[in-house]
Amino acid sequence: METLSENACFGGTQGVYSHASQSCACDMTFGLFLPREASDGPVPVLWYLSGLTCTHENAMVKAGAQAWAAEHGIALVFPDTSPRGDDVADDEAYDLGKGAGFYVNATQDPWAPHYQMWTYITEELPKVLDHGFAVDLSRQAITGHSMGGHGALTMAMALPGRFKSVSAFAPISHPTASEWGRKQLTAYLGADESKWIGHDATLLMQENGFDGPVLIDTGTQDQFIDLLNPEALAQAIASRRQQATLRMQPGYDHSYFFVSTFMEEHMAFHADALYA
């Protein structure tokens, strides 16, 4: 693992690191904020999964999360959204290929050799963190924005017991019924829609639910709200009688101005679960 940068940040350290990924067959970069408490021993972890077109850097710089993570003594992990490199397949469209991994393990060419983001996030990167940093993986929570909200919700529900809490900012809630989903799931997983079910938060909510608290915020002026389909997930939550808080925030759009506005509340929400 290579240290690309480390900066003092709210009494802790904001680092950026690169390592050779076996699952993605390329070098991967991630950001990690460690609060002051990590110098004394392992601290709980909050994963932040970013959205379309993002790298590890977007949320690390724009979300304003480190101040609140420092207040609660929580580590923040900012993974990349896709594999990178000259040999990695890409597409001219912004919503497929690099920056648009959708947190799945691709089975179709030309994506399969590198686009193994589910395994990378859920298996490989946790091992990297566990062996290199003072993090307590028995206390994990997960959040994300847009495509990352989709990833956070699906991982939380598909991996029972892994995460103490899950939240999302403007998640892609029902990708099997959205153009932000059907296109990518077809490309990465093939035309058999039965293989898509495990990557749809609405369908997973109907089937599995989540054994813990859920918080979801979406802006009423989100320019992509029809692609996000928050009402489908709301109906699934109501039908399952899932413990959850869903909020439509008046006037807010899809930007990091929206994310940063409600980050403090999301951090406090996860802190309550991680320190329960």
Side-chain angles (χ1 to χ4, degrees):
M1 186 171 60
E2 180 182 359
T3 299
L4 301 182
S5 64
E6 287 184 334
N7 298 94
C9 182
F10 294 102
T13 303
Q14 176 61 64
V16 178
Y17 308 93
S18 176
H19 69 109
S21 167
Q22 292 184 348
S23 53
C24 294
C26 64
D27 288 344
M28 294 292 287
T29 300
F30 66 94
L32 174 66
F33 170 75
L34 289 173
R36 185 193 311 272
E37 289 84 349
S39 62
D40 298 322
V43 295
V45 179
L46 175 63
W47 295 80
Y48 184 102
L49 305 187
S50 291
L52 286 168
T53 75
C54 292
T55 68
H56 69 281
E57 189 175 31
N58 295 72
M60 190 180 80
V61 173
K62 297 179 180 179
Q66 292 92 337
W68 310 117
E71 181 175 312
H72 296 291
I74 294 172
L76 287 170
V77 188
F78 303 100
D80 204 346
T81 55
S82 76
R84 307 281 176 174
D86 294 339
D87 296 331
V88 175
D90 199 9
D91 190 90
E92 293 181 357
Y94 76 95
D95 58 354
L96 187 66
K98 293 179 184 178
F102 262 75
Y103 303 103
V104 304
N105 283 344
T107 59
Q108 306 298 302
D109 290 332
W111 315 106
H114 297 285
Y115 284 76
Q116 302 296 310
M117 289 301 294
W118 182 278
T119 295
Y120 176 70
I121 299 293
T122 65
E123 297 181 20
E124 184 175 8
L125 189 51
K127 292 178 182 177
V128 171
L129 297 176
D130 193 36
H131 285 91
F133 302 95
V135 295
D136 180 1
L137 295 183
S138 71
R139 293 183 292 165
Q140 296 184 72
I142 191 166
T143 187
H145 174 228
S146 193
M147 178 185 74
H150 139 80
L153 290 168
T154 55
M155 289 177 182
M157 287 186 279
L159 299 169
R162 171 77 64 93
F163 301 105
K164 302 292 187 182
S165 53
V166 60
S167 75
F169 301 87
I172 301 172
S173 299
H174 195 13
T176 62
S178 168
E179 286 306 307
W180 269 2
R182 295 189 63 82
K183 170 185 175 180
Q184 295 82 3
L185 294 174
T186 300
Y188 295 140
L189 302 180
D192 181 356
E193 296 188 20
S194 67
K195 297 179 180 179
W196 302 359
I197 295 172
H199 298 287
D200 186 303
T202 294
L203 300 181
L204 282 172
M205 180 59 69
Q206 293 171 352
E207 183 68 22
N208 296 355
F210 178 68
D211 185 20
V214 179
L215 172 63
I216 299 172
D217 279 315
T218 304
T220 61
Q221 298 302 309
D222 192 307
Q223 56 270 49
F224 306 111
I225 198 165
D226 290 338
L227 295 169
L228 304 177
N229 205 348
E231 59 273 18
L233 182 57
Q235 291 169 4
I237 287 171
S239 177
R240 190 173 183 84
R241 298 176 180 172
Q242 166 75 42
Q243 175 190 2
T245 300
L246 284 76
R247 306 186 299 192
M248 299 300 301
Q249 300 291 359
Y252 285 90
D253 60 16
H254 201 70
S255 70
Y256 266 94
F257 297 112
F258 156 67
V259 173
S260 61
T261 297
F262 299 101
M263 181 56 70
E264 177 183 6
E265 295 177 42
H266 281 245
M267 288 300 310
F269 165 80
H270 289 296
D272 284 346
L274 289 169
Y275 284 105

